[in-house]
Amino acid sequence: MSPCSRQTLQNALVQFSTRSKEIDWQPYFTTRLVDDFATHLRVFRKAQQKMAEKEDQKKDKTEDFIDTFFEVEVEMEKCVCRDLVCTSSKDEEGCLKDLCEVLLYLLLPPGDFQNKIMRYCVREILSRGILLPLINQLSDPDYINQYIIWMIHDFSCNYEAFMNVIKLSDNIGELEAVRDKAADELQYLRSLDTVGDDINTIKNQINSLLFVKKACETRIQRLQSGKEIDTLKLAANYGKLCTVPLDKILIDNVALQFFLDFMQQTGGQAHLFFWLTVEGYRVTAQQQLEVLHSRQRDGNHQTNQTKGLLRAAAVGVYEQYLSEKASPRVHIDDYLLGKLEETLNSEDPTPEIFDDIQRKVYDMMLRHERFYPSFRHNTLYIRMLAELDMLKEPSFKGSDDGDGEFFNGSPNGSIHSSLDDLTSSDELLQINAFISDTGVCNEHGKTYALYAITVQRRSLDAVEDMWKTYRRYSDFHDFHMRITEQFESLASLLKLPGKKTFNNMDKEFLEKRRNDLNAYLQLLLNPEIVKACPALAHYVFDFLENKAYSKGKGDFARKMDTFVIPLRNSMRNVSNVVKSIPDSLAEGMNKMSDNMGKMSEKIGQDIKHSFFKAPILVPKTDAFPELYRVSAQLDDNVDDNIPLRVMLLLMDDVFDLKERNQWLRRQITSLLQQLIRATYGDTINRKIVDHVQYMTSPDQVADYVKQFRESFWPNGILAESALRRDRSIRMRTRVAAKTNLLEIMPDELKHIIGAETTRKGILRVFEMFQYNQLNRRLVYVFIEGFLETLFPQYKFRELFYKLHSRSERMQKYRQRAQPSQAPSLQKR
C-alpha cells in the first residue's frame, strides 16, 4: 500500500471514529439489532413452513429453500430483496463498491475524494480487501459452528443431548460423518493389546461406539427410504404413555395450556376457568384477611370495607360462572348452588366459600368422559408429554424396514456386558436390593449414618449371589445427582429424601430416612424404569457393588447442588401462584402484592375490578400478522425495559409461541416481567447501557481495528484465504455445535414453555445459520442498520432500496401489486 493510500485510509478511519463517538448506540444494539435478527428468523421460519407445504420438489432442496426464503423476504420487506448481493458474487462486488464510494464521499476531505485514482484505489481496498473477506468469514456456516463451540466450551456434553441430535438429524452428511468416525475409533480400539482392568474399559468404549454407529445407520436408512416416523403417532399406536394426574396438570404451566386447548375444543372451558378462578380467589382472600388481621392488631379497623370487597369478589365469581345469566354456565347440583347462595346472602365471605363446588367441578373434569378421560386419548395429551419430556420413542419390533427404534437409552454398557449386548438391563432385572440395617459411625471426629444394603442377584443360569454393601446418605445424594444429570427424564420420577442439618442422628429421623431411601431404591429397580433407561443399569450396578463408592462430584459441587436445586424448585413453586390463574385475576393479585402493607381503597377497587372483568374463555383470534417486522408488534408499556424488550422480540419467533394459545403467551410475558423486575430491576438496564457504551468507546473501536488488521492484514500483507476444511470434519463440527446448544438449555426455560418447544426453537436457530446465502443476508441487514444509525442525517435507507431494487423478485412483486391499485385509480 502506498503512503498516500495509507494516509487516505487513516483519514477515513479518523472521521469514522469521530462520528461514532457522537452516536448513542444503545437503541441500535438493544432494539434495531435484535429486531433485525428476529425478523430474519421470522422470514426463515415462514420459508420453512412454505417448503413443508410443497409436495413436489423437483429442484434441489437447498436451492429451492433459498428461493423460497427470498420470496418471503419480498413479501415482508415490500421494498427490498437482497437476493442478488447474497447469491451473485458479481452483484455483491458491485454493491460493495457503490457503498464504499458513498462512504468515502462522506468521510474524506473534498480534495482527496476528487482524486479519482486515489479514490478508486482506496475503494478497492475497502470493498475487496476489508469488507468482502469479513463478510465471507461471518457468513461461513463452519466458522459460525466453530464459534458456537468455542463460546460454550466450558459445558460438558452428556450422551442424551448427543443422542437427541442423532435422533433428530435429517442431514445424512452429519450421520455419515459420525458413523465413519465411530468406525475409525472402533478399528483403533480393537487393535489395542490390553490385559487386566483395561480390557473392561475398552469393552465399554467399544459398546458405546457400536451403539452410536448403529443409531446413525438406522437413522440413515430411514431418511434414505423416506419412511420417516412421526414420534407422536408412534407413541400413540405402540407406546405405553405415562399417566399425568389431573391435579399435576392444573399446576404445571406447560401441561395446563394443552389441557386448556382440549377443554376449549370440547366446550368445557368454563369448568376449567371456574376452577382456576376459585384458586385465585382463595389466594386473594387469604392475603386480604391476613393484612386485615395485621392492621387490626395495630389498631386500624377497616373490617366492613374489606369484607364488602371480598363479598363483591365472591358474587362476581358466582355471577360469572354459576348464575342463570352466566354464559357459558357451570352446571352443578341445586343443593350446592342453593347452599352457596344462602352463604353469600347471610354470612361473611371466607377463602373457602367455593371449596365444595370447586371439588365437585374438579371431580367432573376428572371423571366425566368428555374431559380428562378423553384428554388422555387425544393427540394433545401426547404433545403435552413431549413438551414435559416424558415421551420417549418406544422400542418395538417389526417395522417396515426391519429396524426398530431404540433411542430410549444410553450407549454405555455394564462393566460385565459382552460386545454383542449393548445394554445390561436384563441383568439388572434379576437384582433385588433393600436397606437391611442402619448404624451410626464416627470417623476422624465426624459422625455420620451408614446404611447396609443387602443385594441379591440371580444370573441367567439361575445361580444366586448375595452380598452387603454400605453407603452413606452423601453417597446416595451423589449417585442421584449423577443419574439425573445423565437421564433428565428421571428427575421428575425419582425424589431423594432431603438433607437435614440438625438432629440428623436422631433415631426416629434415621428410621424415617431409611424407609425413604428404601422406597427410592425400590423405585429405581422398578422393571418399567429399567426398561425405559437400559443404560441406567451400569450406574445402579456400580452403586450396589461390594466396594467403596467413588463419588462423581466433589464435596463443594455436591453442596452447591444441594443449595441450588431446592432454590430452583422453590422458584418454580412460586411461579405456580401466577401460572394457575387466569389473567384477569393475576392482574389484581399483582397489584395487591406490590402494596401488601397498604389496605387502601385503591387496592380494593383493583381487586373488585379484577373479578368483574370479562373472563378469557376463548383465545384471541387477532394473532400477530406474520408478514411484518417483529418490532412493530411490541407493546409501548415495555419500551423502557431493555432486557424485557429484547426477550419479547426474540421469544415469539425463536420458539414459535404464536402457534400456542394466547393465554400461554400472556403468562410467559407476565412471568418474564416479574422475574426481571424482582431479580434485577433497573440494575440490568444500567449494565446493558454501560456495556454498550464500553463496546463503542474510542479505545474499544481502536482495538477492533487493530484486531481486524492483525487478522486480515498481518504485517501489512493481505492474508491468504483459509483452506476449506474437509467435509467430514465440518459435518462433525455441526453435530458438536448442535449438541452444545441443546446441552445449555436451561431447565427453567423448559418448564416455562416445554422441552420439545425449546428443543425445536434452539435447533431452528442453529439450522438458520447453516446457509451461507442467508447468513450473508443477515450480515448485510446488520451493516445497513449500522450505517443508518451512524449517519442519521443522510438517506441511507433510500440508497439501500435503490441498490436492492434490481432484483427480478422485486420487479415481479411490484407487478403483482399494481393490479390491486388499479381499481382505486379508476375510481378517481
Side-chain angles (χ1 to χ4, degrees):
M1 185 185 299
S2 65
C4 189
S5 299
R6 183 186 297 272
Q7 184 62 42
T8 303
L9 270 177
Q10 287 180 348
N11 290 339
L13 287 175
V14 169
Q15 289 296 321
F16 177 85
S17 177
T18 302
R19 187 174 292 275
S20 66
K21 295 177 187 177
E22 303 169 355
I23 302 298
D24 179 13
W25 289 103
Q26 181 223 306
Y28 172 74
F29 283 103
T30 61
T31 301
R32 174 67 186 266
L33 191 73
V34 183
D35 175 38
D36 287 339
F37 177 83
T39 302
H40 182 81
L41 180 60
R42 173 170 292 186
V43 178
F44 178 80
R45 183 171 54 81
K46 193 68 176 175
Q48 281 185 321
Q49 293 173 356
K50 285 196 171 187
M51 286 292 292
E53 295 170 359
K54 294 181 179 180
E55 297 181 0
D56 184 19
Q57 296 178 356
K58 298 179 181 179
K59 299 170 63 179
D60 178 70
K61 187 175 180 180
T62 301
E63 181 183 346
D64 194 13
F65 179 77
I66 293 172
D67 291 341
T68 304
F69 177 90
F70 286 110
E71 289 172 3
V72 176
E73 183 193 26
V74 173
E75 295 174 3
M76 182 173 294
E77 297 283 359
K78 312 298 183 189
C79 303
V80 173
C81 184
R82 302 174 181 84
D83 57 346
L84 291 180
V85 296
C86 298
T87 59
S88 169
S89 57
K90 181 179 178 181
D91 288 291
E92 182 179 24
E93 290 180 8
C95 178
L96 287 176
K97 289 179 181 179
D98 292 341
L99 186 59
C100 291
E101 189 93 10
V102 174
L103 290 176
L104 292 176
Y105 173 78
L106 297 175
L107 296 174
L108 291 179
D112 290 344
F113 183 78
Q114 295 300 327
N115 187 335
K116 289 186 178 182
I117 297 177
M118 180 62 61
R119 186 172 83 238
Y120 291 160
C121 180
V122 175
R123 185 189 68 181
E124 290 297 311
I125 294 173
L126 283 175
S127 62
R128 298 175 62 89
I130 295 179
L131 289 179
L132 193 57
L134 181 62
I135 293 171
N136 287 336
Q137 184 173 30
L138 296 178
S139 304
D140 183 11
D142 188 47
Y143 172 79
I144 295 174
N145 295 336
Q146 293 179 68
Y147 190 72
I148 290 173
I149 295 173
W150 175 80
M151 286 188 65
I152 51 183
H153 65 275
D154 292 335
F155 287 85
S156 59
C157 300
N158 69 21
Y159 88 93
E160 191 161 357
F162 173 71
M163 291 309 299
N164 270 333
V165 170
I166 299 297
K167 181 177 66 173
L168 298 173
S169 176
D170 58 359
N171 188 307
I172 294 179
E174 290 179 359
L175 299 168
E176 289 177 341
V178 175
R179 181 200 61 189
D180 294 344
K181 185 64 175 177
D184 292 341
E185 291 293 322
L186 278 170
Q187 185 177 0
Y188 169 73
L189 290 175
R190 284 168 173 162
S191 68
L192 296 178
D193 184 16
T194 56
V195 293
D197 295 337
D198 290 341
I199 192 170
N200 290 327
T201 303
I202 298 297
K203 285 182 177 180
N204 284 333
Q205 293 175 353
I206 291 177
N207 282 343
S208 299
L209 291 170
L210 284 172
F211 187 93
V212 172
K213 184 171 177 288
K214 178 63 176 176
C216 293
E217 290 172 347
T218 303
R219 184 66 181 163
I220 291 171
Q221 290 174 6
R222 290 211 177 278
L223 292 174
Q224 290 177 338
S225 64
K227 296 177 181 178
E228 185 62 42
I229 287 183
D230 187 330
T231 304
L232 299 183
K233 292 180 180 178
L234 187 69
N237 294 330
Y238 296 98
K240 292 182 178 179
L241 301 179
C242 299
T243 299
V244 182
L246 180 60
D247 59 328
K248 301 297 183 184
I249 291 176
L250 294 176
I251 63 172
D252 185 273
N253 186 54
V254 175
L256 181 57
Q257 59 105 0
F258 285 99
F259 188 56
L260 189 152
D261 286 344
F262 174 80
M263 293 294 279
Q264 288 175 336
Q265 291 178 6
T266 58
Q269 67 268 34
H271 295 76
L272 177 57
F273 273 106
F274 171 77
W275 190 92
L276 295 172
T277 302
V278 170
E279 284 292 296
Y281 169 83
R282 185 185 297 110
V283 174
T284 302
Q286 288 172 349
Q287 291 175 342
Q288 286 292 302
L289 291 178
E290 288 175 3
V291 174
L292 174 63
H293 295 155
S294 175
R295 304 294 286 181
Q296 285 178 336
R297 287 194 295 269
D298 295 338
N300 192 343
H301 300 281
Q302 291 181 324
T303 306
N304 294 333
Q305 180 184 6
T306 303
K307 291 181 178 179
L309 292 171
L310 291 179
R311 182 183 301 280
V315 171
V317 175
Y318 167 79
E319 292 181 349
Q320 197 167 333
Y321 296 102
L322 303 173
S323 67
E324 295 181 356
K325 299 178 181 179
S327 178
R329 183 185 182 190
V330 178
H331 295 279
I332 57 170
D333 298 339
D334 292 338
Y335 170 75
L336 290 176
L337 188 60
K339 184 179 177 182
L340 174 64
E341 292 173 346
E342 182 180 349
T343 303
L344 286 173
N345 292 328
S346 59
E347 299 179 14
D348 291 333
T350 64
E352 299 80 18
I353 190 172
F354 293 104
D355 281 8
D356 291 339
I357 298 179
Q358 188 191 32
R359 280 192 291 269
K360 183 67 176 179
V361 170
Y362 176 86
D363 192 65
M364 290 171 61
M365 291 192 295
L366 178 65
R367 304 184 187 282
H368 196 290
E369 190 61 32
R370 285 174 53 209
F371 302 140
Y372 178 70
S374 295
F375 175 60
R376 287 191 54 199
H377 296 90
N378 193 277
T379 54
L380 285 171
Y381 183 79
I382 302 173
R383 288 175 56 196
M384 179 195 76
L385 293 179
E387 293 292 358
L388 295 174
D389 217 11
M390 299 175 68
L391 182 64
K392 299 296 181 183
E393 289 192 29
S395 299
F396 72 100
K397 302 296 182 182
S399 62
D400 293 339
D401 56 2
D403 287 314
E405 293 294 326
F406 55 92
F407 300 110
N408 55 358
S410 159
N412 297 309
S414 168
I415 294 176
H416 305 285
S417 63
S418 66
L419 296 182
D420 297 327
D421 187 9
L422 296 184
T423 68
S424 58
S425 59
D426 290 339
E427 181 180 0
L428 191 61
L429 290 174
Q430 305 296 322
I431 289 182
N432 293 316
F434 62 94
I435 300 177
S436 54
D437 199 7
T438 305
V440 177
C441 300
N442 190 292
E443 184 179 3
H444 305 297
K446 292 185 178 180
T447 303
Y448 57 88
L450 200 62
Y451 300 92
I453 305 175
T454 299
V455 184
Q456 298 172 332
R457 180 177 64 180
R458 179 190 294 271
S459 63
L460 297 177
D461 55 1
V463 177
E464 292 189 1
D465 193 10
M466 180 183 293
W467 67 86
K468 278 191 177 182
T469 188
Y470 298 89
R471 297 288 181 257
R472 299 174 55 177
Y473 173 81
S474 60
D475 297 331
F476 275 95
H477 185 272
D478 181 90
F479 171 72
H480 180 75
M481 292 291 104
R482 188 184 296 187
I483 63 173
T484 52
E485 284 180 1
Q486 290 295 319
F487 307 89
E488 296 179 0
S489 57
L490 292 180
S492 59
L493 298 175
L494 295 175
K495 301 298 180 185
L496 188 71
K499 210 175 190 53
K500 185 176 181 182
T501 306
F502 302 104
N503 299 323
N504 53 10
M505 294 296 120
D506 180 74
K507 183 178 180 180
E508 293 183 1
F509 171 75
L510 290 177
E511 185 63 26
K512 181 179 183 303
R513 173 171 281 181
R514 169 187 169 181
N515 294 332
D516 292 341
L517 290 175
N518 221 352
Y520 174 87
L521 199 56
Q522 302 314 310
L523 183 59
L524 190 65
L525 294 171
N526 186 291
E528 294 299 323
I529 289 183
V530 176
K531 289 178 181 178
C533 302
L536 180 65
H538 164 65
Y539 296 92
V540 176
F541 192 82
D542 182 65
F543 181 72
L544 295 178
E545 274 196 302
N546 187 15
K547 65 176 185 178
Y549 178 67
S550 177
K551 288 185 172 65
K553 288 177 173 283
D555 289 338
F556 178 76
R558 197 167 57 252
K559 290 176 181 177
M560 287 303 296
D561 285 332
T562 305
F563 173 75
V564 171
I565 291 178
L567 180 63
R568 181 186 301 165
N569 291 335
S570 67
M571 286 294 292
R572 294 172 189 159
N573 293 333
V574 169
S575 69
N576 285 340
V577 175
V578 178
K579 65 192 178 189
S580 299
I581 316 167
D583 287 347
S584 57
L585 196 59
E587 292 171 9
M589 287 181 60
N590 289 339
K591 293 173 183 176
M592 282 187 298
S593 61
D594 292 338
N595 303 278
M596 190 53 67
K598 300 178 181 179
M599 178 59 74
S600 63
E601 183 178 357
K602 178 181 181 300
I603 295 178
Q605 291 174 348
D606 289 338
I607 302 168
K608 183 177 178 181
H609 177 66
S610 72
F611 280 102
F612 284 116
K613 287 175 67 177
I616 309 169
L617 295 180
V618 181
K620 294 181 180 180
T621 57
D622 54 339
F624 287 155
E626 285 290 291
L627 294 178
Y628 288 97
R629 292 187 66 85
V630 175
S631 60
Q633 298 148 10
L634 271 184
D635 294 333
D636 292 336
N637 60 349
V638 300
D639 198 44
D640 60 335
N641 194 313
I642 296 172
L644 181 62
R645 184 170 61 204
V646 169
M647 280 190 277
L648 290 181
L649 276 171
L650 290 175
M651 188 71 76
D652 269 341
D653 282 279
V654 171
F655 300 109
D656 202 10
L657 296 181
K658 287 173 289 302
E659 300 299 321
R660 316 290 279 276
N661 58 55
Q662 298 298 307
W663 178 84
L664 173 68
R665 295 184 70 256
R666 289 193 295 273
Q667 294 293 352
I668 291 173
T669 301
S670 175
L671 188 58
L672 286 174
Q673 288 174 325
Q674 293 181 48
L675 287 176
I676 291 173
R677 290 169 181 166
T679 54
Y680 299 105
D682 295 332
T683 306
I684 193 170
N685 275 345
R686 188 165 57 251
K687 288 183 178 180
I688 291 175
V689 173
D690 292 343
H691 188 65
V692 170
Q693 290 176 348
Y694 169 75
M695 288 170 56
T696 57
S697 64
D699 291 340
Q700 279 301 109
V701 172
D703 190 54
Y704 299 149
V705 174
K706 180 181 178 182
Q707 292 181 17
F708 177 84
R709 184 188 64 194
E710 292 175 352
S711 300
F712 289 89
W713 292 73
N715 300 320
I717 302 173
L718 181 62
E720 296 182 1
S721 300
L723 295 177
R724 188 172 176 81
R725 301 199 306 166
D726 182 73
R727 183 174 185 273
S728 62
I729 297 177
R730 287 185 279 117
M731 289 295 105
R732 292 200 298 272
T733 304
R734 277 177 57 125
V735 174
K738 275 198 283 190
T739 303
N740 283 358
L741 284 174
L742 290 179
E743 179 63 22
I744 64 170
M745 275 195 311
D747 288 338
E748 289 77 10
L749 187 60
K750 291 191 287 186
H751 284 282
I752 293 174
I753 64 176
E756 187 70 12
T757 297
T758 306
R759 262 195 299 270
K760 287 182 178 179
I762 290 177
L763 291 178
R764 179 185 294 117
V765 174
F766 175 83
E767 191 64 27
M768 182 184 72
F769 286 119
Q770 304 311 305
Y771 296 87
N772 185 289
Q773 297 90 335
L774 308 192
N775 294 339
R776 300 186 95 82
R777 188 259 179 195
L778 184 60
V779 172
Y780 278 108
V781 169
F782 287 162
I783 291 174
E784 292 169 15
F786 178 82
L787 293 177
E788 289 177 24
T789 305
L790 186 64
F791 301 99
Q793 68 273 35
Y794 300 108
K795 299 179 180 180
F796 261 95
R797 178 166 297 185
E798 295 180 5
L799 171 63
F800 292 129
Y801 285 170
K802 292 179 180 178
L803 289 176
H804 300 309
S805 63
R806 293 169 289 184
S807 168
E808 292 184 6
R809 289 187 176 88
M810 195 69 250
Q811 296 172 8
K812 290 179 180 178
Y813 177 79
R814 289 171 178 168
Q815 291 175 0
R816 291 197 303 267
Q818 286 177 356
S820 62
Q821 298 175 358
S824 61
L825 294 174
Q826 291 175 0
K827 289 181 181 179
R828 294 181 184 178

